[in-house]
Every structure is written in C-alpha cells, then in structure tokens.
Amino acid sequence: MAIATEEIGTYTPHPEGLIEGNHNLVTLGDKISTVVTGETPTPKVWWVFFLTGIGLLNCLVVALLYLFYAGVGIWGINQPVAWGFAIVNFVWWIGIGHAGTLISAILLLMHQKWRTSINRFAEAMTIFAVMCAGLFPLIHMGRPWLFYWLMPVPVNFGMWPQFRSPLTWDVFAVTTYLTVSVVFWYVGLIPDLAALRDVAKNRIQRVVYGILAMGWRGSAIHWRRYEKLYLILAAIGTPLVFSVHTVVSFDFAVAIVPLWHSTIFPPFFVAGAVYSGFAMVVWLAVPLRKFYGMGDMITTKHLNLCAKVMITTGLLVSYGYFLEVWMAFYSHSIYEVETTMQRMFGPYGWSYWVLITTNTIIPQLLWFRKVRTNDWLLLAVAGSVHIGMWFERYVIVITLSRDQLPSSWGRYAPTEWDYLTMLGSVGLFITLFTLFLRFLPMISITEMREFLPFKQGGRDGHGIMENAK
Amino acid sequence: MPPELKTDTEQPEMWQSVESWMGSPQFDKMMKDEFPEDAGEWLDPVSRRQFLTLAGASVALAGAIGCNPSVRPASPRKVVPYVRQPEQIIPGIPLFFATAMAQAGGVGLGLLVKSNEGRPTKVEGNPNHPSSLGGANSFALASTLGLYDPDRSKNASQAADSTTNEAVANALLDTFKKLKDKKGAGVRVLAEPCTSPSLNGLAARFLASLPSAKWISYEPLAADNAVKASVAAFNKPLTPVYHLDKAKAVLAIDSDFLAALCPASVRNAKDFMAKRKFRDLESGLKAGDGVKPEDMNRLYSVESMFTCTGATADHRLPLTPTQIESFTRALATKFGIAAGTAGALPEFAQKCIDPIFEDLNSKKGSAAVIVGETQPPAVHQLALAINEKLDAFKANVVTFIEPLNPRAGDSIGELKALVEDMKAGKVEALIVLGTNPVYDAPVDLDFARALESVKYKLHYGLYKDETAANCTWHVPAAHYLESWGDLKGHDGTIALQQPLIAPLHGGISPLSFVSTLVKAAQDVAGVPEGQKTVETSDPLELVKAEARAYFTKAADSGDFENWWQHAVRDGVIPGSASKPVAAPAVNVAAIPTPAKADGIEVQFRADPTLYDGRFANNGWLQELPKPITKLTWDNAAIVSPATAIKLGCESGFGWTGGENGRTIADVVELTLEGRKLKIAVWILPGHADDVVTLYVGHGRTERAGKTADSKGFNTYKLRSTTALWNASGMTAAKTGETYFLACTQGQHAMESRRPLRHGTVVQFAKDEEFAQIPPVSAEEYKEIRANTPGTEEDWVRLHGKDGKKFPHSHTHAHGPTETAAKKDEPKHEEHKHDPRVIPLSLYPDNPQKVHGEDASKTYRRWGMAFDLSACTGCSACIMACVSENNIPVVGKEQVTKGRAMHWIRVDRYFSIPTSRTMEDTLGGKDVKDKVRAEKVKESANIRAHVMPVPCQQCEKAPCEVVCPVAATVHSADGLNDMVYNRCVGTRYCSNNCPYKVRRFNFLQFADYSTASMKLLNNPEVTVRQRGVMEKCTYCVQRIRNAEIEAEREWKLRPKDASDRPKIKDGEIVTACQAACPTGAIAFGDLNDPDSQVLRWKAEPTNYGLLAELNTMPRTSYLAAIRNPNPKMPQGA
C-alpha cells in the first residue's frame, strides 16, 4: 500500500501546526499501521525499554511473592507512619493516570483539536497507570486475600463495606475510572483495529485484529453509532477526571491528621494529577517523536500546548502549597502550625524543599517558549515534575511521623522491598506500554485521518464533534 | 517431683498403647540419648495430660473439700480422665488459685493465678497478702511466660550429656559418702536468699547432719548494706518495714521504693499513694479514694539515676553517689547527729538541705527517710538515726522485724570466702541452688576459674545457664507455678505457694530437691532410721508440717485440715506476720568516714525489667520499656547530657531510624580498676552529672536462652567486690563505634501541647480549672471539658445542690442541663453550648439509641480514668495487659522499627519547672532545639512526667469512620470494639488515631509454632494473625463475662425494681487496673451514680487527652498534682 511521496505531491503546512510533513489519508494510515504490522522495523530502543520493563517487572514479582509470604512488615511502615511507599505510589500513579481521560474526554468536549494525535497513547498510559496504581492498595493491605471485603459483594456473612470510609469510596472511584477508561479506549480503537485487520500481513494478525474489531465494516450506521457512543463516553469520562482524584484526596482530607484535614485537598489533588499526567504525556511523546519518527504528528506545537497545561496546573498546585501554609497559620491551631514547621524544618524537611524545588521552581522554566518547544529541556522539566509530584505525596504521607502527641512521634524509612516494589510498578508500566506500542496503533488512525485538511483527504477536524454540531 | 521419680524401672511386658510405651523409662532414655534437644518436646504432651488432674486437685484444695491423695498435683500416680466431673470445674470457666512468687531477697509477693483448664495463664496480686494487697509488679506478671519458656532446662545432665534424676541423686550420695569422715567439711551449698520457713528448716537440718558443711546465701544484688548498718546501729540485724500511709513527708535517698526492684514496692506504692491521690470532691469522698489537698504528702528524692520514685517526687536532687553520702551527712548534722564531715556538695544541693530539714522536722512522727540498698552502710546508719530523731520508730512509721532471711548479712563476703576455699582446694562438693554466680559474681572473684578446682559440682536451676555449663551435674528446677512452697512477705507474713500445673519439664521443686540433699546428708551422717527428721520429700507435706506451727486449736473448730484449706485458698497463713521488734537506740558512734571520689563515678543498678539478669530470657520483660529511659532489649551506660558532652558522645535517630524506635548511640570504653567494657551511651536528662549508671542483667550468653542471647552489655564484667554498687575513678573513652538501641519514645518534651497536665497544690487553690485549658481553642475549653464524661449532673449530685459551683458547666449534644446549679448561675448562659464545637459530623452520636431511648440514660457506659498524681510509671499495667491480651513479643529489630505491640504504653515527658507555674518549659515554638539542649544540659531540676496511654475509647472515634470494612465499631456501651476477624489491615485507623494507640501485626508476631507458648494464651482473647490491627478494648472479655454472669443471676432472681441486670462498681476490673500497685486506674460504668470512675471524672482536674479534637474520649486523666515545698530554692 506504500505510496511514494512524489505521487502524493506536497501540501501546504497545517494551519495550526498540528500535522507536519506531507500526509494524506494513505500515508498517515500507513505510517501508524506499519509499526503494528511489523513492516516498519521495531526500533532497537524498543527492545531496550521492553527488556528493562520486563526486568523490573520481575523485581515486582519477587517483591510481591515475598510480601505475600512474610507480610507488609517487610516494608518500612510502622507506628505512627502506617502508610508508606505503597500509598505514595498509589496516589502518584493515579495522578499520572489522569491526563489520558482529560485529553480524550474533556479536550474532546472542548473542541481542542490538538488532542487528536496524543489521545490514544495518553489513554493507554492512563489505563496502565491506573493498573499500577490499583496494585498498591491491594498489596498494602495486611490481609490482601480479603480485598473483596472492600467491595459491596453479596456474600454469606452479610456484611457490607463501611460506606463512611474514604477507602470504600476509593474502591468505587478507581474501579469506575478504570472501567470507563478501558471502555473508552477500546471503543476508540475499534475502527483502527478494523483498519489493521484489513492491512494485516499474516493470518495471526488478521484473526486477532479481526476478532478485536468486532465486525466493524465502516458502514455509515457503524460510524453513526460509534460517534454517538464515543461522545457519551466522553461525557461520562469527564466528571470522572475530577472525581477520582477528589476521592483519593479524601483519603487524607477526611482524616484528622494535622495538615491532612483540609478542604483544599480535592482541587489541589486534581490539579496535581493533571500536572503529573501531562508530564508523563511529555515523557512518552518525546521518545515517540524520536524513535518512531512521529514528530510529524506529535509536533512541537503539541509539546508546547502540553507544557502550557503543565505550567497552569503547576501554578495551581503551587498555590495549594502556599494555601496549606497560610491556612495552618491562619487557623492558630498549634497542631497545624507545628506540623507545618515540622514539615518544613523537621527531620523530613528536605523532602518538602525537594518538592518545592522540583514542583514549583524548576517548572517556571516553562514560561520560556524555548524550553516548551525543546524536546530535551521539556523532558527534563517533566522529569522534575514527576519527582516533585512523587515527593508531594511522600511529604503528605510522612506528615504522620509527627502528629498531635509528641510521645508517639516516629520516623519512617523505606526498605529495599519498598524500592523494589516501586521500581517494579514502573517496570509493569514500561512493559505494558512497550507492548502497546508494538501491537496497537499508538496514534488513532481514524481520528488523524479525519483531522487532515480537506485538501489532503481529511475533514479538517474531529468528525465526532463536527457531527455533533 | 522428687528424684526417686523413676525408681520403678521394670518395663511393662506388653504395652497397650503407644503412649504407655512412650512413657517407659527405656523410651525416655532412648529419646534423650538420640535427640536430647527434643526430649522435652516429647515429654510435653504427657505433662499436659496431667493438667486436668492438677486442676481437680487445686479445686479440691481451694474448695476445702478435702485433700484427696489420688488427685494431688505433682503426684506421680496414674493419670485418668474424669469419670465424674469434679465440683467447680466447668470447662471454659477459669479458676483462680493463690500462690506467691519470690522477689529480690527471696521475699514473697502473694499472687492469684488464673488457671484455664489447668493452664496458668495470668497472674494478679493477692488482695489477702500484705505485700500485694491486690497489686503486682511486672516480674510477677511476666512470670507465666517464664513458666512456658521453651528454653527452660528440660532434663538432668551430666557434663554435656543428659541423664536421669536418679543418676544425679546417686552421684550426690556417693560424693557425700566420700566426705563422711570430714562431717561434710568440703561441702558447700550456694543458695539463693530464701525466706521460706520450710526450706530454711531443711537447710538447718542439712547443716545439723553435716556440721562442717556451709550453706551460703548469695544473690548478686543482695541488700547487705542495710543489714550491716542495722548491726552497727542496733547490734543486731533488723529489717525495717515502712508504713508510708502514716508519712506526710518522705525523703528517699537513692531509693526506688516505689518501683518493682524493691521487694516491698507494691505495698509501699499503695501506702504512699493513699496520701497522694488528690481529691477535691467533698461529698463524694470515700475512704481510700483520695485525700484533701492539705493532707497531701510530700516526697523528696535524692538519686543519681532517674527512677520511678524520682519521677513521682515533689523535689528531686540529682547527685552522684558520693554527693548523696555527703548530702545525708549534712542533713544528719542538721538533726544534731555526729555524722562526720560531709564532702563537697553542689551549691544547689546545699540550698536544699535547710528546707528539707525544716520540713521533715516539722512533721515529726509522720516523716521517714528511706535509703536504697545501693548506699553504703554509713548512709543507712545515718538514715536510721534521722528516723529516730523524726520519731518515726515511736510513731510506727518505720517498724522493725527480725530478718526474713536468717542468712542475710554479708553474702558477697561469704561468696568471697567460698571462692578462696575453692581456690585452696578445700571445696570438694559445691551445690548451686538457683543462683548463677558464673555470670553474676563480682568479676574479681573469677568464679568460673575457681569452680574448676571443685570435683563435684551440681547446679540446680530453671535454665542450663552459665553456671550449669561450668558444673558437672545439672538438675532442672520446677517453676514456682509448679511447686509447693512457702515464702515470707515483706512484713513476715507467710504466703503459701501451690502448684498450678505439674512440672512441664520434669523439674524438681526446691523443697523436694533440698529434702533429697538432707536425706543424703542424713544417710551419710548415719542418722538412725527412726530419728531422721525428713520422712518425706513431698513438698506439700513439708509445707504443711511447717504451717502447723501457726495452727491453733481455737481456729476452725480445731480442725487442722479445715484451717489448712482456708490458708491455701487465701494464700496466706493467718497471723504469721513477724512481730515488730522495738528498735533500740541508734548507735551512731561507729559511722565510718566518707570515701573520696575522683574521676567519673559509676553505679551498678538492678535492671528495672530484668532485675539481676534472672529474667533475661523473658521476652515480655525484655520488651517492656524500662521506666524513664524507655529502652528495651538493651542496657546502656546512662549519663547526663553534660557528661555526654564531656565524653564527646551523642545519640541520634539515624537516617533509617525512628525516634520511636531505632536510636544510634556512641559506644564508649569504660575502664574501672583496670577492667574494660565497651558499652553504648544513653543520654538521659535529669541524670546526675559525672556519674554513669550501669544496669546489670543484660549481656547473657546463649546459655541463658534464645531470647536472652547477646542482648545488651554484660556490666557484671566491671563489677567487683570493691565496686559492688558505687565506685569512683572510672575513665571513659569514646571508641568511635556506634550501636543501635531500641527506645520506644525518643521525644522528650511536650512541645507546649500539654498532653500531660500537671500543677501544684497552690496552683490548684488559685485556679481549680488550671488543667482544663488545652493548647488550642482556649476559649472553648468549657465545651471541650463537656466532651469528656463527668457532667454537671454528676457534679451536683456528688456535691449536693448547694455545694460548690460546677467549674465546667456544659454538656454536649443534649444541650445545657437544667439543674439547680444552672439556675443559680445565670451568668453561665453566656457559655451556652456553641454548636460550632460539634458541627455536622460523619460520626453518629454515641452511645446510640437503644430501643428508641438514649442509651446513655438507660444502659451502661464504660469509662476509665487515670490519676496521674498516683502513677509512678512502674509499667506493671503494660505487663498485665500483655499477659491478659496475648500481646506478642516483636523483638528488638521490630521495636527499632517502631512496631512494639503494647496496647497500653507509659508516655514519659521531661520538663523544667519555672518558678511560676511548674509548667513545661522544654517544649513549644519559643524553644528551639539548641536552646532546649542548653537548658537540658544545665538544668539539675529536670522533672519527668509519666502518663499511661491505652485506647481512649473515643465516643466519636476517628478510627471507626475510616475503616472500609467496619472492623472497628462502637458498641452500645461505648466501647470502641475491634473485630480482628473482619480486619483487612489497611491501617487507616491507626493513621487517624490521634493517640496512636492502635497496634498492627506487621508480620506474624504471635507465636503459632512453639508448643509450650500456646499454653500461655488467654483463651478468651483472639491470638491475632499478621495483617490485623489490634488495640485496647477495656478488657472487653472481662466486661462481657461479668455481663453474662449478671444476666444469669438476674434471670434467676425475682425481679426487683430495676429492669436491667446490675453490675456493681468494682465487679469488673481491667487487667491494668488490677495490676496497678497504686490504684491509679479507675474503671466502671458512668451511668452508675456511685461508681468510682464517675467520681474521678467529676473532679475539676479531670481532662481528656486531645479532647479539643472532639473525639470525646471515654478515658480521661486527673492532672498530676504535686506538693512542692515553697521554701525550696527556686526551680527545685
């Protein structure tokens, strides 16, 4: 199906700079689908990432086996810091999992055309991140084999979960989010899977993609139903973007631990989640541009826009940091004030300043266009945000070390098993994501085709939103 | 069991069951030869089969049914199952039996031991016993673990090989026979101090048969100095008995008379606190429930180490041992006693002498001076003289009795003589009874080497310890819960020991063993059959025979058996207390001149949890935080901050540590008289400068058991005959090494949060409500007070309507109560309940409605109160809780991670009193770390405050709302219940508990595998699995038992006016409350208008810990009130 460039001719650049290069319907589809069909050779770097991911995943397996054998005491958690890395990582991953749905649902409803080339892998990122996140609350339980007691399962002992507990809300929030994200992602994939079926290079691909495409023929009625469903799912997904991290923040805000018990947490957490989610999008987009040559679809414009979202949410998060301190002193509560002082200058003060540096100060570089449009600088800033957002959760959890009663003040130090589990979850993410890159279209073929200007055979925008008008 | 246990060696021709074959001596021998390690385990099930027999026997005794010889405990007769169920035995219902445990010096502490189907599981104090009066100390409370200790000696041994008891007995007889001509000249018995009349009787008979033999009473921490002083002062050894309920002022000179180390501590603490429980209520005041402020007693403490007594004291002077002696001399001089020249004293101490003298002198007849056993005889003698001047003898504040242990006096001197004899080859046979001199004898005696020259050496003890390793023969001893015996209490009252279980490992009771000795001696001495004074080695018969002396025909209709049964049931022989001896005039002529000190001084002290090391293999005691230092599993060189700076040492919480766990401490090398010891340094504010306190008892070898192995430092390696308690001229050098210590509370200061509120009598007089104001929400303190139980209604009822005005006039939720007092005080309207205090809440109003009625009005509401004035921090409550609730031991490594499991902990805070309020000046934002360090370094006036913290049973419990699976829920009677089976271990409840009293099984802490440890558990409390949260529930099992009992009785009775079964106040006693020697804990029903706990809660000093968080804690605290002497120098 490959068509030489000279046959297509040259087109004027995309008015918004969202697609570069000389693309028409065919070249676009080919570029994305040949990665999956194997016609484009898999970059060597893929193997580096994949094997790293598998290696780390093995760490996770070992860590979990030992964890289930011995108990959560292999971690550094203690009295008074009964939550440690597991919860830090949970919130961190959940936060990362936020950008996908935001991009695919909210930006869709907001008519943001630039979402088109990044939504697919961002959604995949969301699903994998939520899977990593979901792992932690399960394994952090003292008796993980009883996890189903947190769910309203009608069992013979006639007990329901305790609905006042934010952890119960968490179960609903996270499972709902995961379900909707997966459905949304899969529904979006169906036309692409059909396209892959049609260009499949061997029987296996044909069968597998054929089954996954669920009989998609591209008829008008198919398109109509598809677009309606996609829109409905976007509408369902939109509130979830806010609800998940709001509920996660309740884990802290409902508690009476000083500096946890705060109404700022829900918006603050949501902003932080979007912040880290976009940082992760950047982290995934830049290698795709570099190693898969997707720079013509994920353009500097995209990076620029992601960076703008980051600086906005970053400022919101920084405002949250300021407000936490402000409210502590404004409250005149000795516990709030002293705990703030401990947070800044106590034994874990360093982590607070790491947080402020990486999450508030370094991202100010994004005010510069040069930073926003330079792959590597942006990657560095996004890395800083990853560190910062991780430390934000660390700082919150570590607040437990010094609460109301000085007699029970303590400290927390992670063990090798904590680190192994954390790295292992990264391995799980990398493995899943590299597999996704290899076996599923990383960019939506359908939507990109629709997105092409009329001249190039597209419809100059997103069909769904245009049809909905 | 006596050594002739296995005399019938004939093998059954046929065996009908595997068990009978396994029970045969051949089988035993084969087992022991082949698997000596496992021998005990094979024996275990066999012993367990004897439980029921034993239980039957004990009941038979307790119920005065008559002593049926066929079911006598420890009887080697046949074991048969019940054909008919014995009376009083109901499976599942525990029984209590009175017994007694030997403490320091062999002095008995009367106990009641709970037996579940023949397993002793819990120790409590015996209310009938004068040394206990129902209280107990941590050693006694932890002794059930000692019983089931899997490391106990399980068989007799010869060298390294196991052998049988009869082989030991034969060898003993052979040895004695060889010494026949010398009348036992080469025979030495080295025994623990003993107050048992029957055992001492046997010893006397032994010596009568072998007149040249010697019986030496030895204990490393023997209280010889007091005896020596008594001999010097009175010309005869007399033992003082203190009656502190008569004392208005007490001066403790290096004496920890309130803590577990002193054999009379439980009684002392109770007596002393009777005059210290501060109560303001007039009409509610009941006998024993407290004193009026003006009657409060006063305690001065002069000591180097910070002890429980020092923490309780109104004034505490930290001085070095030599300064303490100087201080005593200076004070005695004030009393007109020729006390010799006093050495130099710090200026601050000098200023204190006059006020202390005046205060004591003004309270003649109701003041006493108590000196610790660690002080030299001169100080004891001076104290006797001062007490005489204070009319303490005349007024019976201090009385004297004959020594409880007739051999007490100079144990170290006798040991020294023994070692010299051993070295000279004069000792042919040495029999060590219970003591462990290879480990704990003064190091300059080099006991182990001296022992090499002894041919026949036998060790009798609970463990194959260091001494057993150096002896040829070893015989396992029976635990005190496995044997018959008798012990004298601190006042001479004889307590009876009865076995609660047949010896688990075939151990032999002390009486049996010694009677075997006596028999052998009499055989050798050729005493004719008819004149042998020991017919039996049955310990029961021996004890009974001794008790007969106290039986008078008049008692119990002249029936001895009847009288005996009563005595066994009560645990004490009535009327056996020693007759007081009138104190002769104190001779002060022979007071020696003071010793001079140079260099750093050192003092050796008994370990607060391991005593002299005998409890080293007891995990409960190892893990019990030592009072004040809060160290577990280790000892250390304890120094003051200033001395630490001098040594260049510091301790800190490392990067991977926890201030509630791991502490990295510098290691110093101590050199004393040329001997060296490397030991970690622990910096303790309030410790005297230039003196190092070393606890003995740690640093045992693997011989002592798995738990004891290499925990801490063996400080006996520095202790010599010349430096027994105190010594000077020590040098210390920092080694550069570090060591990690497990400390459960690293935080020193209250950080101006006032979790522990304290004040003085004067302060209280000025402002009754001084304890009410929490650090936050100061304006709302009345409402906060209203959130802790103890309401205006209670106040009015207890004070009468015309009584004092209610200081905290608001109840929550139900709105202001319409009462007479309310109407009289219209100005209170302005404080009307502010709805902001309890805004809309996720928490339901507890107690919930029951059948549409407010449960609080109709049913029971459990509550607890701690009187902080009466708490010494002795930690008996922790031990009782551990024993009652099957709380696991987690080990040092886990403690350093902050995972200790104790459901109740004793918080300790330090403060420096200011002249104004005695408030904490160590905490708060105005005190920076550096400033604080300076203050702590320089201040001699640091005070320690202690505060027991169990679950507060919040009515609005923060833990309950956050549990996703409803594993922690509220009961209608106000308990914050924990459902272990439902817990999935999210630990959210622990995070949300502001008191941090929840404990999580991070790993499998409970011991499911060790067979003998399974017997230890209280069957009424779940043994928790890993991954499960646990916590205090006010001993809910005891509450429910009482409720069931009440319901049952109520059902059986014709109904009275009240339509609910009644539980009387005091009918339910929680484990911590039962153990508390001072009665600092009240528990009961807040709906019972006469309950003690309600009276306590209506006190104006009652406050709720962190009540400002609106948790509405059911547990509350009465602020600690002290009674300082206003004439003491400022800041003292």
Side-chain angles (χ1 to χ4, degrees), chain B residues 334-352:
Chain B
K334 286 270 169 201
F335 278 99
I337 297 159
T341 35
L345 271 180
E347 194 188 338
F348 181 71
Q350 282 172 359
K351 278 191 208 157
C352 295

Side-chain angles (χ1 to χ4, degrees), chain B residues 740-922:
Chain B
F740 76 93
L741 294 164
C743 163
T744 57
Q745 189 190 346
Q747 192 60 29
H748 285 170
M750 282 186 255
E751 306 290 342
S752 70
R753 298 175 184 209
R754 306 182 78 219
L756 193 161
R757 297 178 198 165
H758 56 95
T760 63
V761 178
V762 178
Q763 206 176 342
F764 178 82
K766 275 190 202 145
D767 177 15
E768 279 194 330
E769 295 170 59
F770 81 95
Q772 299 305 329
I773 301 171
V776 294
S777 316
E779 275 85 58
E780 294 169 345
Y781 77 92
K782 283 178 198 293
E783 283 81 1
I784 290 165
R785 174 62 173 82
N787 282 349
T788 53
T791 61
E792 186 174 358
E793 293 162 45
D794 303 328
W795 176 269
V796 170
R797 186 174 47 72
L798 291 167
H799 277 283
K801 286 197 174 183
D802 306 320
K804 299 166 81 167
K805 79 175 166 79
F806 186 57
H808 29 69
S809 64
H810 293 92
T811 55
H812 71 91
H814 317 298
T817 323
E818 288 302 322
T819 62
K822 178 88 197 166
K823 281 169 200 155
D824 294 343
E825 298 289 334
K827 66 181 173 186
H828 275 185
E829 282 301 326
E830 71 206 48
H831 297 305
K832 208 164 183 174
H833 170 59
D834 183 346
R836 286 175 311 166
V837 178
I838 305 172
L840 276 177
S841 168
L842 282 168
Y843 302 75
D845 268 346
N846 282 314
Q848 288 139 336
K849 304 246 177 198
V850 175
H851 305 306
E853 268 186 286
D854 181 357
S856 66
K857 298 238 164 55
T858 56
Y859 212 41
R860 304 181 183 112
R861 290 192 301 153
W862 303 114
M864 188 179 264
F866 287 90
D867 186 345
L868 295 180
S869 301
C871 179
T872 65
C874 73
S875 304
C877 48
I878 303 180
M879 210 76 288
C881 179
V882 165
S883 178
E884 171 75 16
N885 293 303
N886 303 337
I887 296 172
V889 174
V890 300
K892 179 180 172 185
E893 192 65 39
Q894 294 296 318
V895 174
T896 62
K897 289 182 171 163
R899 294 175 183 171
M901 293 299 282
H902 298 148
W903 288 3
I904 180 169
R905 59 171 199 260
V906 177
D907 283 355
R908 173 271 293 123
Y909 299 102
F910 293 108
S911 74
I912 300 177
T914 64
S915 49
R916 283 174 289 115
T917 59
M918 276 189 71
E919 275 306 324
D920 176 16
T921 57
L922 280 180

Side-chain angles (χ1 to χ4, degrees), chain A residues 243-287:
Chain A
S243 70
V244 181
H245 230 57
T246 300
V247 170
V248 168
S249 81
F250 286 160
D251 288 351
F252 304 103
V254 166
I256 60 166
V257 177
L259 297 191
W260 282 21
H261 190 64
S262 157
T263 48
I264 187 82
F265 267 35
F268 170 55
F269 265 54
V270 170
V274 174
Y275 192 29
S276 63
F278 269 90
M280 191 52 110
V281 167
V282 167
W283 261 36
L284 298 174
V286 170

Side-chain angles (χ1 to χ4, degrees), chain B residues 978-995:
Chain B
M978 187 69 217
V979 191
Y980 305 120
N981 279 347
R982 181 67 182 167
C983 179
V984 297
T986 67
R987 306 184 294 285
Y988 198 173
C989 51
S990 167
N991 285 347
N992 211 26
C993 172
Y995 310 98

Side-chain angles (χ1 to χ4, degrees), chain B residues 326-381:
Chain B
S326 306
F327 173 87
T328 316
R329 285 177 198 274
L331 185 69
T333 312
K334 286 270 169 201
F335 278 99
I337 297 159
T341 35
L345 271 180
E347 194 188 338
F348 181 71
Q350 282 172 359
K351 278 191 208 157
C352 295
I353 291 174
D354 275 331
I356 294 177
F357 163 71
E358 281 159 25
D359 192 28
L360 290 177
N361 210 28
S362 70
K363 289 173 181 158
K364 268 191 182 177
S366 59
V369 178
I370 304 179
V371 180
E373 63 274 20
T374 59
Q375 282 298 310
V379 175
H380 282 268
Q381 210 176 336

Side-chain angles (χ1 to χ4, degrees), chain A residues 67-84 86 140-147 149-150 157 159-169 250-257 260 332-335 337-339 342 347-348 350 394 400-415 419, chain B residues 653-660 744-747 749-753 755 775-777 842-844 894 897-900 905 907-909 924-925 949 958-967 980-988 990-996 998-1004 1025-1029 1105-1106 1108-1109 1111:
Chain A
L67 175 76
F68 295 144
Y69 168 72
V72 287
I74 63 167
W75 295 341
I77 44 174
N78 59 24
Q79 308 284 346
V81 189
W83 284 354
H140 110 292
M141 289 175 19
R143 303 200 291 174
W145 52 93
L146 299 175
F147 73 93
W149 285 2
L150 271 76
F157 43 75
M159 277 291 289
W160 289 100
Q162 209 269 106
F163 289 106
R164 288 178 301 169
S165 168
L167 290 186
T168 311
W169 312 339
F250 286 160
D251 288 351
F252 304 103
V254 166
I256 60 166
V257 177
W260 282 21
H332 270 254
S333 159
I334 187 168
Y335 305 124
V337 175
E338 290 284 290
T339 309
Q342 293 292 353
Y348 293 95
W350 59 271
Y394 179 76
L400 288 168
S401 62
R402 293 198 160 182
D403 63 354
Q404 284 99 344
L405 267 192
S407 67
S408 36
W409 286 2
R411 285 188 197 180
Y412 167 78
T415 64
Y419 289 115
Chain B
F653 315 113
W655 160 236
T656 57
E659 55 197 307
N660 59 336
T744 57
Q745 189 190 346
Q747 192 60 29
M750 282 186 255
E751 306 290 342
S752 70
R753 298 175 184 209
V776 294
S777 316
L842 282 168
Y843 302 75
Q894 294 296 318
K897 289 182 171 163
R899 294 175 183 171
R905 59 171 199 260
D907 283 355
R908 173 271 293 123
Y909 299 102
K925 44 190 179 290
V949 185
C959 51
E960 288 171 8
V961 278
V962 299
C963 176
V965 292
Y980 305 120
N981 279 347
R982 181 67 182 167
C983 179
V984 297
T986 67
R987 306 184 294 285
Y988 198 173
S990 167
N991 285 347
N992 211 26
C993 172
Y995 310 98
K996 292 288 176 283
R998 292 179 152 263
R999 296 287 175 263
F1000 188 66
N1001 289 275
F1002 288 93
L1003 298 167
Q1004 182 56 53
Q1025 192 184 16
R1026 83 157 148 99
V1028 167
M1029 192 62 76
L1105 181 60
L1106 298 179
E1108 61 268 27
L1109 302 177
T1111 53

Side-chain angles (χ1 to χ4, degrees), chain B residues 10 33 64 109 117 177 203 302 481 505 551 627 631 662 702 747 790 803 834 872 913 993 1031 1119:
Chain B
E10 38 183 277
D33 289 349
L109 179 68
E117 278 82 53
K177 274 178 189 157
V302 186
L481 292 170
H505 309 299
F551 170 67
L631 277 176
R662 194 183 181 99
E702 78 283 355
Q747 192 60 29
D834 183 346
T872 65
C993 172
K1031 67 168 205 60

